[in-house]
Amino acid sequence: KATINTVGTPPGPEPDISVSGSGNYGNIEIGSSSIRTFNVSNSGEANLEIGNLSGLAPPFSVVTDNCSGATVAPSGSCTLSVRFRPTTTGFHSDTLVIPSNDPDESSLNVGVNGTGTTAAVPDISVNGSGAFGDVEIGSNSTRSISVSNVGDADLVIGNQYGLGAPFSVVTDNCSGATLGPSGSCTLNVRFTPTATGSRSDTLVIPSNDPDESSVYVSMSGTGTTAPVPDISVSGNSAFGNVEVGTSSTHTVTVSNTGNANLVISAVNGLTAPYSKPADNCSGSTLAPSTSCTLNVRFSPTATGTFNETLVISSNDPDENPYNFNVSGTGSITAVPDISVSGSGAFGEVEIGSSGDRIINVSNVGNANLVLGSVYGLAAPFSMLTDSCSGTTLAPAASCSLSMRFTPTTD
């Protein structure tokens, strides 16, 4: 520094203090520290006498000081170091005061600042469902599990473990991986049931997360049998007695009691005296819990018992075809049939005497024969005994009449 003085004696040489070095510490984690070094120089032409440093308070402190009380020759320098060690979060600032004999900067102020932050830690996050629901035996289902680091330090993942059959890890990009902040990896878990029923297990993912050293992911699933159709047939298969020349019709209902579609390809098998006048089932597809109907008719043309089988073809795995047996008996109409035997010819009978004849009445039919009152005789004929009037004769039963002829003239 030079001062031009046009009056009086020129000034003597003077010291000139200057400081270099950054006082901005940035972000420092609580529990750690950072040191900055400052260089104090004398750019003047006379010795720089430095006093004792002052002004700093925690979290700032002077850790090395080669300047306090020092005499720095022109072009010389000394160094000092300042430490920032935060104990709380947030922004901190202070001022280091360097006194000297610099004529125009007797105290040089050096600003320092920094921010206390929490320590960087990893934070594990696991997403994905381990609920497999219903899975058929013989098949499998796979679920993807995503592991992410939502912290601000590296997440170091150990080897996953814990799963046993019927669960397994089929792909694993996580075991032994190191995930930076915002990084992620995936692993796939497969459920392969070999038996029916519920199954559960736990996947364990270890890591260096300070508050979740192991994450437990629950797995569950149910083994089920494959859906299949199941045919069920209902209806009266016994037609009983049906008169020859008439007919009787019964409705047959075909239902699907399974849990897959029932495909009915055809309904066959009937021959005379049976027929199928209506069929809503052949070629139809029945969803679970639905049904269709068909009619079976019995039309006997002769007496006797007739048996036949209705054959229902479908995709039922254990009842194909389904045989529905029908039976019926052809019969004739039950009627009574009267038969009378015996002679009413008395021949010659002397006047003053009499002759008797017996008449037998029989039921040769197959229903009861109801007889009314017998009448019509007049003298010289008369009824001696009558076991028939008002009588009901069962099939093959009989009764009799006894008649007398008593002539009084020739």
Side-chain angles (χ1 to χ4, degrees):
K1 283 180 352 180
T3 302
I4 299 175
N5 192 340
T6 59
V7 179
T9 304
E14 297 177 349
D16 187 10
I17 192 170
S18 66
V19 178
S20 63
S22 173
N24 182 6
Y25 290 81
N27 294 326
I28 303 297
E29 293 178 9
I30 294 173
S32 62
S33 65
S34 178
I35 296 175
R36 294 284 187 269
T37 298
F38 297 91
N39 192 55
V40 180
S41 301
N42 179 8
S43 57
E45 298 174 348
N47 286 343
L48 177 66
E49 304 291 340
I50 302 175
N52 291 323
L53 306 181
S54 63
L56 293 184
F60 297 97
S61 62
V62 175
V63 290
T64 60
D65 179 5
N66 297 318
C67 295
S68 291
T71 298
V72 180
S75 301
S77 65
C78 65
T79 60
L80 59 92
S81 297
V82 176
R83 174 179 289 152
F84 175 45
R85 178 177 285 166
T87 57
T88 59
T89 59
F91 182 76
H92 302 272
S93 65
D94 208 339
T95 300
L96 173 66
V97 179
I98 307 174
S100 73
N101 65 337
D102 185 309
D104 57 2
E105 288 182 287
S106 59
S107 290
L108 180 63
N109 296 326
V110 180
V112 291
N113 65 80
T115 301
T117 63
T118 56
V121 292
D123 188 6
I124 192 171
S125 175
V126 178
N127 295 291
S129 173
F132 290 83
D134 293 338
V135 178
E136 292 177 16
I137 294 173
S139 62
N140 62 70
S141 179
T142 302
R143 292 285 184 274
S144 182
I145 305 298
S146 175
V147 180
S148 302
N149 179 10
V150 295
D152 50 9
D154 285 350
L155 176 69
V156 180
I157 302 174
N159 292 323
Q160 56 79 21
Y161 64 94
L163 292 184
F167 298 96
S168 61
V169 176
V170 290
T171 59
D172 180 3
N173 299 318
C174 294
S175 291
T178 297
L179 302 181
S182 301
S184 64
C185 63
T186 58
L187 52 87
N188 291 328
V189 178
R190 180 167 292 163
F191 175 48
T192 308
T194 57
T196 59
S198 298
R199 299 290 185 274
S200 62
D201 210 337
T202 301
L203 173 68
V204 183
I205 305 174
S207 73
N208 66 332
D209 184 308
D211 58 0
E212 287 183 288
S213 60
S214 291
V215 174
Y216 300 90
V217 184
S218 297
M219 302 289 161
S220 64
T222 302
T224 62
T225 56
V228 292
D230 188 12
I231 192 172
S232 175
V233 181
S234 60
N236 187 0
S237 62
F239 286 83
N241 293 323
V242 178
E243 293 181 13
V244 172
T246 64
S247 66
S248 177
T249 301
H250 288 181
T251 297
V252 177
T253 300
V254 181
S255 302
N256 179 10
T257 58
N259 53 5
N261 285 346
L262 176 69
V263 180
I264 302 174
S265 54
V267 180
N268 297 308
L270 296 182
T271 58
Y274 293 95
S275 62
K276 184 169 48 107
D279 179 4
N280 297 319
C281 294
S282 292
S284 65
T285 298
L286 300 182
S289 301
T290 63
S291 62
C292 62
T293 59
L294 54 91
N295 291 335
V296 176
R297 180 170 291 161
F298 176 47
S299 305
T301 58
T303 59
T305 299
F306 299 88
N307 299 312
E308 189 58 276
T309 301
L310 183 69
V311 181
I312 306 172
S313 301
S314 73
N315 65 333
D316 185 304
D318 58 359
E319 291 182 286
N320 182 34
Y322 186 99
N323 294 325
F324 185 76
N325 297 316
V326 294
S327 65
T329 301
S331 62
I332 59 173
T333 303
V335 292
D337 189 7
I338 192 170
S339 173
V340 178
S341 62
S343 174
F346 288 85
E348 292 181 353
V349 176
E350 292 180 3
I351 295 171
S353 63
S354 64
D356 295 334
R357 293 287 185 271
I358 294 176
I359 303 297
N360 292 309
V361 178
S362 302
N363 180 7
V364 295
N366 55 2
N368 288 343
L369 175 67
V370 179
L371 299 177
S373 295
V374 179
Y375 64 94
L377 294 182
F381 297 96
S382 62
M383 185 73 68
L384 294 179
T385 61
D386 177 3
S387 63
C388 293
S389 290
T391 299
T392 297
L393 298 181
S398 63
C399 61
S400 63
L401 302 170
S402 175
M403 298 179 294
R404 176 169 288 176
F405 175 48
T406 307
T408 57
T409 59
D410 53 13

